[in-house]
Amino acid sequence: MATSEPRKTEGEEGATEAPVAVVASPEQYVKHPLQNRWALWYFKNDKSKSWSENLRLIAKFDTVEDFWALYNHIQQPSKLGFGCDYCLFKDGIKPMWEDDRNKLGGRWLITLSKQQRHNDLDRYWMETLLCLIGESFDDASEDICGAVVNVRPKGDKIAIWTVNCQNREAIMTIGQQYKERLNVPVKSLIGYQSHDDTSSKSGSTTKNMYTV
Ligand code: MGP
């Protein structure tokens, strides 16, 4: 509470009651702002609907406190059903290839083995979220659009989406720092693919434009 009820002045028994303002320090009530406002989306695979109809906005937040309130309220990825996704994107960017901020972009893709659902999936996803909201990639954070986790029977995937697949320097900075943050062994390569290649692929794999 920022103010208190009027009270007696100390040591002056019987003195006239005067209103005394008690101001709490700002740390007690001001939430810690994030650099960006973020939107969390949920995708549930309902085959009777189109891909984009299955995508639902859950909530937006722009403070540390509201991020944790949301994070603690929702299921971890490992508890989601097969075919479900979470997407965390900067406010104003839809989590789809067609968005103006994604259409020239691509993604750093982490593919997980089935065993990693139990060991790594939730930890990797939390670390990915913290990298995004904490703007962890120095100037290259500007290039970040969002991140996606796909829960799939064949193996789960986590990706960071960036704005332009030609921005080599920013993409390499993000890839190197992201790999370190996740503690991916140096010898395991992760790849970056353009959305153009991913959306037009015919086989099961898309060629990597960059690897770290
Ligand atoms: P997915 O959900 O990204 O991967 O794409 P999944 O399920 O592992 O499948 P795989 O093909 O990578 O093995 C599945 C399908 O969802 C795609 O083939 C598209 O039909 C559709 N889809 C996915 N995304 C990210 C988009 C998108 O951004 N826009 C549109 N229009 N369709 C998409």
Side-chain angles (χ1 to χ4, degrees):
M1 270 219 312
T3 58
S4 76
E5 291 293 305
R7 60 174 192 186
K8 284 184 179 172
T9 312
E10 230 173 273
E12 289 184 55
E13 205 49 46
T16 321
E17 288 191 354
V20 177
V22 177
V23 180
S25 68
E27 288 72 38
Q28 288 175 307
Y29 59 87
V30 175
K31 292 179 182 174
H32 297 80
L34 298 170
Q35 198 161 316
N36 277 288
R37 169 172 288 130
W38 298 87
L40 185 73
W41 301 74
Y42 176 60
F43 179 93
K44 188 165 192 291
N45 195 6
D46 173 347
K47 296 228 162 66
S48 68
K49 293 185 183 151
S50 70
W51 182 85
S52 55
E53 282 170 341
N54 283 328
L55 197 56
R56 288 288 156 89
L57 176 67
I58 302 180
K60 296 184 182 187
F61 57 87
D62 60 5
T63 67
V64 175
E65 288 78 2
D66 290 346
F67 163 71
W68 285 116
L70 180 60
Y71 178 84
N72 290 326
H73 182 70
I74 60 174
Q75 298 275 18
Q76 297 277 319
S78 63
K79 299 285 182 311
L80 297 182
F82 287 136
C84 293
D85 305 334
Y86 282 134
C87 313
L88 185 81
F89 274 70
K90 285 179 180 165
D91 187 22
I93 307 180
K94 292 214 177 91
M96 52 178 69
W97 304 320
E98 293 85 349
D99 190 280
D100 275 350
R101 296 272 295 167
N102 291 324
K103 65 185 180 199
L104 300 176
R107 62 175 178 173
W108 278 112
L109 179 63
I110 310 284
T111 51
L112 289 88
S113 67
K114 289 181 188 173
Q115 294 74 18
Q116 283 182 289
R117 174 161 310 137
H118 305 290
N119 303 332
D120 296 325
L121 177 65
D122 295 340
R123 185 171 60 82
Y124 278 11
W125 179 239
M126 188 181 85
E127 201 58 35
T128 305
L129 297 176
L130 295 179
C131 283
L132 263 57
I133 65 169
E135 312 282 336
S136 297
F137 306 111
D138 308 316
D139 290 349
S141 291
E142 282 281 307
D143 271 49
I144 298 285
C145 294
V148 180
V149 56
N150 307 120
V151 180
R152 299 289 183 272
K154 64 191 176 201
D156 308 318
K157 293 180 278 185
I158 296 181
I160 289 189
W161 288 30
T162 75
V163 72
N164 191 319
C165 65
Q166 303 302 329
N167 292 354
R168 183 189 181 89
E169 202 183 318
I171 290 168
M172 293 305 284
T173 301
I174 293 166
Q176 280 152 0
Q177 296 189 14
Y178 185 41
K179 189 174 169 182
E180 269 176 38
R181 282 283 293 260
L182 295 186
N183 252 323
V184 173
V186 176
K187 61 179 189 315
S188 321
L189 291 184
I190 62 169
Y192 181 99
Q193 299 134 20
S194 75
H195 296 316
D196 211 19
D197 287 344
T198 304
S199 57
S200 60
K201 72 173 177 186
S202 48
S204 59
T205 48
T206 306
K207 72 173 180 344
N208 289 327
M209 289 183 71
Y210 312 97
T211 52
V212 289

